[in-house]
Amino acid sequence: MASVGDESSRFEVDSNRLRLLRDGREAYPAMLAAIAGAKREVLLEMYWIQGDKTGLMFRDALTAKAKEGATVCVTYDAVGSISAPSSMWQPLIEAGGQVIEFGPVSPLRKRFRFNRITFRDHRKILVVDGETGFTGGMNIGDPWLPRDEGGDNWRDEGIEVTGPVVRDLRALFFETWRRTGHTIPLDAGRFTRSASGRVVVLTNGHGRRRGIRHAYLRAIRHATERIDIANPYFLPGPFFLAALKNAQSRGVEVRILVPGLNDVWVVSMAMSSVIGRLLESNARVFAYQGRVLHAKTAVFDETLATVGTYNLDARSRRYNRECNIAVYDAAVARAARVRFEQDLAESIELSVSSWKERSLAHRFFSWFAYPLRQFL
């Protein structure tokens, strides 16, 4: 697997060191290297783990570390990882690792709760020795592998952090661990959201339902020049769209990047109506071409860049546990914008005229799917 990103993707902000990771090509080697170098503890919280080449590669890396005596804890979402057989974790469990299924959907499972079945753990977090942490859009599966390695090469973004902010990622993992009924270590700490001033872990679970959304809205309201948002499931509510429109009225340029090819067809249809509203308000909307866009990033002026798991849809807002890292630093914002510009170069800009020329069938399915956006 290829080596990770160059020096232009590395930054130091306050007491934290950061690295932006583009696609699975950069993220997976960095994550596997961190696991291999673990001395005491590896924590993995993942929405979607597949039982494929990539999933087994991570499983084997975790198993090897458990055999060395490190504490290894894994939690995966029952819906996101439904295609992965539970038997794939047996080698890790036999080596002393602990594996927990979040939100069982089978009534036969001990912690099944029918009234909680819509609540999912959509986070993607890896924490090693309480010192190095990762999050971003990447799940663990072959779609994120480069095509020359048998994958689909999905376009995604991740971030690696070392420093004080990792304490919040670790505490966030153990909050979920505790809520699944398991014992947490005495040094697990509490999620504070203030471990460091300019590098902040954002979440919306555990009583913080609107944390990430509020951070987006604050940034939109304070933007003075440009807002760039990339999101694969861009289905924000009227309040969010109004905030973008108000920003435009202040002279802020708004650019939205969405997939040209969406992995969920009905979401693509529902997004069509939202895109039309944006275009009619003079926002610039781009459709990414060639690969599946799965990155969830945003850049506001040269003030803030955010990378994480949060989709701008009703599920992330109301039901999913999510995690973003926000970095209030001009150099990081500029680097994130360079990546955004690279993606625009691989996209086509949509127009009001082309949107109005959609086929009758497309219009019908869009009309039908839009009211379903609260459930997508």
Side-chain angles (χ1 to χ4, degrees), residues 51-293:
D52 55 16
K53 172 184 174 181
T54 303
L56 295 178
M57 180 168 53
F58 272 85
R59 190 275 314 273
D60 291 345
L62 294 166
T63 301
K65 195 50 56 176
K67 287 180 178 178
E68 293 176 12
T71 297
V72 177
C73 300
V74 175
T75 178
Y76 65 89
D77 186 83
V79 171
S81 303
I82 197 167
S83 64
S86 58
S87 60
M88 73 174 280
W89 296 111
Q90 196 59 36
L92 175 56
I93 295 170
E94 291 174 356
Q98 299 181 71
V99 181
I100 303 301
E101 179 187 47
F102 180 90
V105 293
S106 169
L108 301 178
R109 295 297 182 103
K110 179 180 178 181
R111 296 190 63 79
F112 171 79
R113 300 290 185 275
F114 181 78
N115 63 337
R116 302 289 296 177
I117 203 165
T118 59
F119 292 87
R120 310 315 319 166
D121 186 358
H122 193 247
R123 292 177 183 147
K124 297 96 178 172
I125 297 173
L126 173 66
V127 182
V128 175
D129 289 339
E131 298 172 355
T132 302
F134 298 82
T135 192
M138 270 83 68
N139 292 285
I140 292 178
D142 285 356
W144 285 267
L145 284 183
R147 286 173 176 159
D148 58 8
E149 296 182 21
D152 296 327
N153 201 26
W154 282 20
R155 174 71 189 97
D156 221 323
E157 283 287 331
I159 187 169
E160 176 186 7
V161 292
T162 61
V165 73
V166 180
R167 291 196 295 263
D168 265 358
L169 281 176
R170 184 173 184 265
L172 203 58
F173 174 91
F174 279 121
E175 281 195 358
T176 299
W177 196 256
R178 177 176 58 83
R179 286 173 179 267
T180 58
H182 294 81
T183 303
I184 64 174
L186 294 176
D187 67 345
R190 293 180 61 84
F191 179 80
T192 64
R193 195 177 174 264
S194 59
S196 62
R198 293 192 294 150
V199 184
V200 180
V201 175
L202 301 173
T203 182
N204 66 338
H206 311 320
R208 308 177 191 93
R209 174 178 288 183
R210 298 178 178 86
I212 302 176
R213 179 170 177 265
H214 282 179
Y216 264 94
L217 289 171
R218 283 194 301 271
I220 291 170
R221 290 168 184 149
H222 288 94
T224 59
E225 296 179 0
R226 179 171 289 167
I227 297 170
D228 291 332
I229 297 175
N231 205 271
Y233 311 106
F234 192 79
L235 289 169
F239 197 71
F240 194 101
L241 292 174
L244 289 175
K245 186 174 181 179
N246 288 339
Q248 288 179 266
S249 69
R250 302 194 306 269
V252 178
E253 183 179 15
V254 175
R255 302 188 296 181
I256 307 296
L257 178 63
V258 298
L261 171 66
N262 199 300
D263 61 314
V264 183
W265 177 81
V266 69
V267 170
S268 180
M269 289 295 101
M271 283 173 55
S272 179
S273 294
V274 175
I275 289 169
R277 297 182 187 199
L278 288 167
L279 292 171
E280 289 176 339
S281 68
N282 295 317
R284 300 181 68 189
V285 182
F286 299 80
Y288 189 72
Q289 303 297 299
R291 297 190 285 163
V292 174
L293 175 73

